[in-house]
Amino acid sequence: MAILNIILAPDPRLTTRAVPVNDIDGDLKRLMDDMLETMYAAPGIGLAAPQVGVLKRFFVVDVGENDARDPRFFVNPEITKRSETKAVYEEGCLSLPKQYGDVERAEAITVRYLDRAGTERMLDADGMLARCIQHEMDHLDGILFVDHLSALKRRMILRRMTKVKRSKQAD
Ligand code: GNR
Ligand code: NI
């Protein structure tokens, strides 16, 4: 397994719509396992393929409580139902480290997807799992949590990120 480099915003790969996965082959499974390891190391509760520079529609999530691992793989996911009830939560993103903002999303969703074995599944999710799945689905469409904030907050965060990246290149 390997720890992958997580792309930081602003980067065109984070604002591009990803394409569907054709075939869940050995290379893709290895990549998903590496993404899971990268997510745990970060640490984070989700990681979408575009964040490691792969513009394909899949992500990994683990919102397990305490130390109980609950890794989940979502390939070609589609949200088929969103509750009318919304919830607001302060989100962060591994591609925008140390930046946070309140995002309103559906409180509960139903998602259809292929799991790691390529089996089609349907999942009803609420709470943190629903939150995280919607955040990762956004990544597959080139959308970041800052796109849900006011233009002022978005610009402030992206300006800070540009400075962070510039200082990283300098050292
Ligand atoms: O680790 C993460 N935490 C988080 C917190 C609130 C809402 C969404 C998330 S996802 C984020 C990891 C990440 O950037 N996934 O794309
Ligand atoms: Ni993110």
Side-chain angles (χ1 to χ4, degrees):
M1 297 237 270
I3 305 285
L4 308 172
N5 184 46
I6 297 176
I7 294 169
L8 301 183
D11 187 294
R13 290 168 289 182
L14 296 175
T15 54
T16 303
R17 187 182 160 84
V19 302
V21 170
N22 275 326
D23 181 28
I24 305 178
D25 59 13
D27 282 349
L28 194 91
K29 283 180 182 162
R30 195 164 315 117
L31 183 57
M32 288 198 284
D33 293 342
D34 287 344
M35 281 172 54
L36 191 70
E37 192 185 11
T38 303
M39 181 193 81
Y40 286 138
I45 59 172
L47 188 65
Q51 293 180 276
V52 296
V54 176
L55 293 177
K56 294 188 185 165
R57 303 187 74 78
F58 66 95
F59 57 81
V60 299
V61 162
D62 188 336
V63 296
E65 309 243 310
N66 311 318
D67 285 346
R69 281 204 174 187
D70 184 22
R72 294 168 183 268
F73 301 85
F74 295 82
V75 178
N76 295 343
E78 204 182 316
I79 294 178
T80 58
K81 221 163 86 186
R82 289 181 166 80
S83 65
E84 282 181 33
T85 308
K86 309 286 184 197
V88 175
Y89 189 87
E90 188 174 63
E91 297 197 6
C93 180
L94 293 173
S95 294
L96 299 123
K98 293 184 246 174
Q99 311 303 320
Y100 305 94
D102 283 342
V103 179
E104 184 182 271
R105 299 190 190 272
E107 203 271 325
I109 57 168
T110 302
V111 58
R112 184 172 64 208
Y113 63 101
L114 302 176
D115 67 13
R116 193 179 174 285
T119 304
E120 186 168 317
R121 298 204 176 268
M122 288 269 256
L123 175 72
D124 293 318
D126 62 9
M128 209 52 205
L129 182 56
R131 166 76 41 187
C132 192
I133 289 171
Q134 290 173 86
H135 175 112
E136 305 312 333
M137 293 281 306
D138 269 358
H139 277 300
L140 304 186
D141 291 330
I143 295 166
L144 299 172
F145 82 82
V146 291
D147 295 320
H148 295 284
L149 308 179
S150 70
L152 180 68
K153 282 185 190 162
R154 176 167 56 250
R155 280 198 296 266
M156 266 171 40
I157 289 177
L158 290 174
R159 189 158 52 228
R160 282 202 286 268
M161 285 304 304
T162 301
K163 286 183 184 167
V164 167
K165 289 187 83 173
R166 204 180 294 141
S167 69
K168 282 199 177 188
Q169 277 172 336
D171 67 31

